Amino acid sequence: MPKHNNAIPRNHFHKHWNPESSQKGHIKTFFQQAKQKKARRVRRAAKAKAVFPRPVQALRPQVQCCTQRYNMKIRSGKGFTLDECKAAGISPKFARTVGVAVDQRRKNHSEESLTVNSNRLKEYISKLVLYPLAGGKKSSITTVKPDASKIASVQQNTFPAPQAVATAEAPRELTADEKSRHIYNYLRAQNRNTKFIGIRLARKIRKEKADKEKADGTAVKKGK
């Protein structure tokens, strides 16, 4: 027994390594992780070779991350919305057949996202090269004989995952006003202006309305 008020040892050294019934279990090991990693890489290369010159991954839209903490970051979304496909001039059914992911549940909450993703779709369609369909069927996009230079560019990541653009201001010299400015007081004033902009605007509108009524003589006098 251990001396003093120490933690009780609970070291389980008797592992059930053998899968027999007397062992009551079997411990799984994963010593094949490196081998499986190589096998996945080989399968991805074989898939890319089989579908060449088609891209391996579908085209994804550019979306903002969720929550206030991460909404300034940009990532790839699940699929393009129906409005984005409509703005790009293609149907969702046809988009799925040419390597474009479509998400019927996603909605556009701003004109910026609609414009960015529709332009992304238009650029993809402009660079798209289609083989003639089997059976002499017609396609909504003109099919041309593939060019070697265009096919080579498909294998490259022509449409990479969207990345956030750095918006930091480049280094510059401080102006005379900035050098003489009290930063703490300036920031407090800016915060107050941002916080009370709605209240001050409503107050200004009421004052202009009262002045106009007073000038026209239509102001209502309040009784004592």
Side-chain angles (χ1 to χ4, degrees):
M1 292 295 294
K3 293 182 180 180
H4 310 298
N5 189 20
N6 298 328
I8 299 175
R10 295 187 178 86
N11 300 324
H12 302 282
F13 293 118
H14 296 282
K15 303 291 186 182
H16 297 165
W17 293 99
N18 298 321
E20 293 142 3
S21 59
S22 61
Q23 293 276 338
K24 299 180 181 179
H26 175 56
I27 293 179
K28 295 182 180 181
T29 57
F30 300 93
F31 299 124
Q32 78 283 12
Q33 287 186 358
K35 188 176 180 180
Q36 291 294 329
K37 181 180 179 181
K38 180 180 178 181
R40 289 193 297 269
R41 178 173 57 81
V42 172
R43 285 198 298 267
R44 285 195 298 268
K47 179 183 177 181
K49 185 178 180 180
V51 302
F52 179 82
R54 290 181 293 169
V56 179
Q57 298 179 352
L59 183 69
R60 304 285 178 179
Q62 171 181 321
V63 299
Q64 304 292 132
C65 294
C66 297
T67 71
Q68 187 177 3
R69 182 176 183 179
Y70 301 105
N71 60 5
M72 76 292 297
K73 294 186 176 182
I74 299 175
R75 65 174 178 86
S76 297
K78 181 177 177 63
F80 291 88
T81 62
L82 303 182
D83 293 336
E84 291 168 354
C85 294
K86 184 178 180 180
I90 60 174
S91 64
K93 183 177 180 181
F94 175 75
R96 291 189 176 98
T97 63
V98 291
V100 177
V102 179
D103 187 7
Q104 296 182 347
R105 296 174 297 179
R106 204 178 126 248
K107 304 295 182 182
N108 290 106
H109 297 285
S110 63
E111 290 292 337
E112 289 80 3
S113 65
L114 178 63
T115 304
V116 169
N117 289 321
S118 61
N119 292 338
R120 184 174 170 85
L121 265 178
K122 291 177 182 178
E123 184 182 2
Y124 178 81
I125 295 299
S126 65
K127 296 181 179 180
L128 191 64
V129 178
L130 295 179
Y131 286 98
L133 296 175
K137 297 180 181 179
K138 293 185 178 180
S139 173
S140 60
I141 298 179
T142 306
T143 57
V144 296
K145 186 176 181 180
D147 188 7
S149 61
K150 293 184 179 180
I151 291 178
S153 65
V154 174
Q155 283 300 94
Q156 302 173 358
N157 201 355
T158 311
F159 294 89
Q163 300 293 333
V165 180
T167 57
E169 184 180 356
R172 60 177 177 81
E173 292 292 335
L174 294 177
T175 62
D177 184 27
E178 292 173 344
K179 289 181 180 180
S180 61
R181 179 185 296 164
H182 296 281
I183 299 301
Y184 180 75
N185 297 336
Y186 174 76
L187 292 179
R188 279 180 60 87
Q190 293 298 321
N191 291 335
R192 286 195 301 271
N193 294 337
T194 304
K195 181 178 181 179
F196 299 115
I197 184 173
I199 298 176
R200 291 174 179 174
L201 182 61
R203 184 187 303 164
K204 180 181 178 181
I205 293 175
R206 288 198 303 268
K207 187 175 183 302
E208 292 177 352
K209 183 178 179 182
D211 294 342
K212 183 179 180 181
E213 291 177 352
K214 186 177 181 180
D216 297 341
T218 58
V220 179
K221 296 183 179 180
K222 296 182 180 180
K224 294 182 179 180

